[in-house]
Amino acid sequence: MAERPARMNPAMTAGSAGPWTDRVGQAEGSDQVESADRAEVPGQGRCPYLVVRDPDTVRDVLHRPADFSPANALVAVTPLEGAALRVLQRVGFALPPVLASNDTDTHAGIRKVVAGFFTPATVAAMEPRIRELAREAARNAADQIGHFGHADLVQTVAAFPPAVVMLELLGLPVRDLADLKRWGLDSMELFWGWPDTDRQLALAHSAADFYAWLRKLVAETRAAPGRNLFKSLAEHGLSTPEMCSLGYFLLIAGQETTTQLISTTLFRLMEGSAPAGWKDAASEAGSKATVRHVLNSESSVPTWRRVAAHATDLGGELIPAGTEILLELSGNKITPASAPGSQSRSAQAASPETAKGQSTGYGIVFGSGIHRCLGAKLAELEAAVTVQEAAAALPRIQLSDHEPEWIRFLSFQAPRTVTVLDRPR
């Protein structure tokens, strides 16, 4: 399971990219893909990806891992500079491919071990605990509104329950939650954002702290009684660097993306742009429908990456070896189809919602094929329960900030705050 040297540190091998406000042109002769303009854009860097929006073509890519490798899935979008790399190297930071970026024959066995913690029965059994945490969070929000007249639903409702659920589900100790949330967002920015030199250095210190914490956790839990993720992975034969690599992204993806899904759902409900109203969301059916709508139109993970392992065909076009590909999983604001020159013939032929860049179909929101998200059902359940309990406990709130700052990384999006106050009686 040794890591190939070229990918020992994903941050060292990334191509540069800008925040996707440059032109995205149509691929000549193709109905399924759009070629990103690779010209230099002042102040924005280069855009090295071939953008694929058509849902069937996205699914085709995801179901052909031998042709379209996941090896670049966790590569840093912005190459890290020397000072940041030295900070990471001092703590032995290494991310060998284990799960999401693993294109070797070891993937299936490792995935089976991790999947054992996310079985349908296990997820269903967590619902009472999820509801308990959601009700507690909603009460905390109500208390803050009562004391201060306002509250941020991201911090009071969305942030911490998914982290608790993830740690408990994996058999890991529930602790250092505030640090875990901070480390998760910082690592998302470090690997999927566009930090400048100073910001890179700050984020690298955060990532180094997270990695050191994680390595201690791995050592502790390997020797702990009972069943837990790292003990199971050690029994499968993974090394400490491999377990740290898997844990690094799983402890981010397993809870921070759910927080972001909840945050976006709460914001769209309070803003009034969701198909259901706040009162409707207090029911099980209403909350489930609203979460499903957000997943379909504006999920927290709107894009994901692949790379052509060799020259191959996609939609009748030859894709050269090494081509970096950005797959659109749901509507996103990073590569908007409304940008000049960006709409492809595939988008025009798809549903009206897709043509606006708002949706590519629920079926691929969590990916597809052998790398599909293992926590899909858990995330959807957590979001629906949390939204339902918040709407039921806070019937009279209204949005006080209609234009919050948003997280806008290459593959992650959500409002950073959802600030509400009591509606006048």
Side-chain angles (χ1 to χ4, degrees):
M1 296 185 187
E3 167 61 2
R4 280 163 277 185
R7 289 191 227 139
M8 178 63 74
N9 185 342
M12 295 180 181
T13 62
S16 58
W20 290 98
T21 55
D22 53 326
R23 291 177 296 117
V24 180
Q26 188 178 100
E28 186 175 341
S30 172
D31 287 342
Q32 287 82 25
V33 297
E34 299 174 358
S35 60
D37 185 350
R38 285 151 168 89
E40 194 76 24
V41 179
Q44 295 175 11
R46 291 171 63 81
C47 174
Y49 302 109
L50 181 75
V51 181
V52 179
R53 288 197 169 92
D54 176 73
D56 291 335
T57 311
V58 169
R59 190 177 287 105
D60 184 26
V61 170
L62 292 171
H63 282 256
R64 293 166 57 188
D67 296 330
F68 300 102
S69 167
N72 65 338
L74 307 180
V75 170
V77 171
T78 302
L80 299 192
E81 299 178 18
L85 288 172
R86 286 190 289 274
V87 169
L88 297 177
Q89 289 164 352
R90 280 198 290 269
V91 297
F93 190 98
L95 298 174
V98 184
L99 200 60
S101 61
N102 190 350
D103 62 0
T104 75
D105 57 7
T106 66
H107 172 263
I110 297 169
R111 181 179 171 89
K112 185 177 180 180
V113 173
V114 180
F117 290 85
F118 294 90
T119 66
T122 302
V123 171
M126 287 295 294
E127 181 169 357
R129 177 59 171 152
I130 293 168
R131 197 166 295 278
E132 176 188 17
L133 291 167
R135 286 176 177 168
E136 181 182 355
R139 286 195 298 269
N140 289 339
D143 289 344
Q144 281 208 15
I145 293 170
H147 282 99
F148 305 109
H150 59 85
D152 172 18
L153 297 186
V154 172
Q155 289 302 311
T156 56
V157 170
F160 293 101
V164 174
V165 169
M166 178 57 52
L167 291 169
E168 290 184 353
L169 193 74
L170 298 177
L172 303 175
V174 178
R175 64 188 186 214
D176 304 321
L177 295 180
D179 287 332
L180 184 60
K181 299 301 294 185
R182 175 174 55 82
W183 290 332
L185 269 179
D186 286 351
S187 291
M188 280 183 169
E189 184 178 355
L190 183 65
F191 281 89
W192 285 274
W194 297 273
D196 61 20
T197 301
D198 290 341
R199 182 62 178 160
Q200 273 189 11
L201 189 57
L203 295 171
H205 279 289
S206 175
D209 290 343
F210 182 24
Y211 195 86
W213 176 89
L214 186 59
R215 190 164 48 207
K216 290 178 182 178
L217 180 65
V218 167
E220 172 189 334
T221 54
R222 285 181 65 172
R227 177 174 177 261
N228 67 68
L229 174 67
F230 297 124
K231 191 173 184 179
S232 296
L233 291 172
E235 291 169 354
H236 185 70
L238 266 67
S239 66
T240 293
E242 288 170 327
M243 286 188 282
C244 288
S245 178
L246 189 151
Y248 187 88
F249 288 111
L250 183 61
L251 290 185
I252 296 171
Q255 50 86 24
E256 187 57 42
T257 57
T258 304
T259 288
Q260 292 175 8
L261 172 60
I262 295 168
S263 301
T264 301
T265 305
L266 291 170
F267 179 73
R268 294 307 180 197
L269 279 166
M270 296 304 304
E271 181 194 42
S273 62
W278 187 241
K279 183 178 179 180
D280 300 320
S283 70
E284 182 176 351
S287 64
K288 284 183 177 179
T290 305
V291 168
R292 181 66 65 91
H293 169 77
V294 170
L295 280 169
N296 192 41
S297 63
E298 195 178 12
S299 77
S300 54
V301 188
T303 68
W304 208 241
R305 287 175 290 171
R306 287 293 184 265
V307 60
H310 51 82
T312 188
D313 176 88
L314 181 64
E317 285 295 302
L318 177 64
I319 307 298
T323 299
E324 299 267 4
I325 298 170
L326 188 72
L327 304 173
E328 184 172 288
L329 305 180
S330 78
N332 73 88
K333 311 301 180 184
I334 310 301
T335 58
S338 57
S342 69
Q343 188 163 312
S344 68
R345 290 193 291 272
S346 63
Q348 293 168 348
S351 68
E353 227 184 359
T354 305
K356 297 174 187 175
Q358 294 301 305
S359 170
T360 54
Y362 174 78
I364 55 172
V365 167
F366 290 103
S368 190
I370 63 172
H371 288 276
R372 188 176 189 273
C373 175
L374 289 169
K377 291 299 181 184
L378 177 65
E380 193 168 351
L381 174 63
E382 286 186 90
V385 169
T386 303
V387 167
Q388 180 188 358
E389 294 297 337
L394 304 165
R396 297 189 55 81
I397 59 173
Q398 65 182 28
L399 193 63
S400 67
D401 181 3
H402 288 259
E403 296 184 358
E405 180 185 351
W406 279 67
I407 295 165
R408 296 289 191 205
F409 304 144
L410 180 68
S411 292
F412 302 100
Q413 61 184 9
R416 291 188 183 274
T417 58
V418 180
T419 307
V420 299
L421 44 77
D422 256 332
R423 188 187 312 131
R425 295 179 182 272

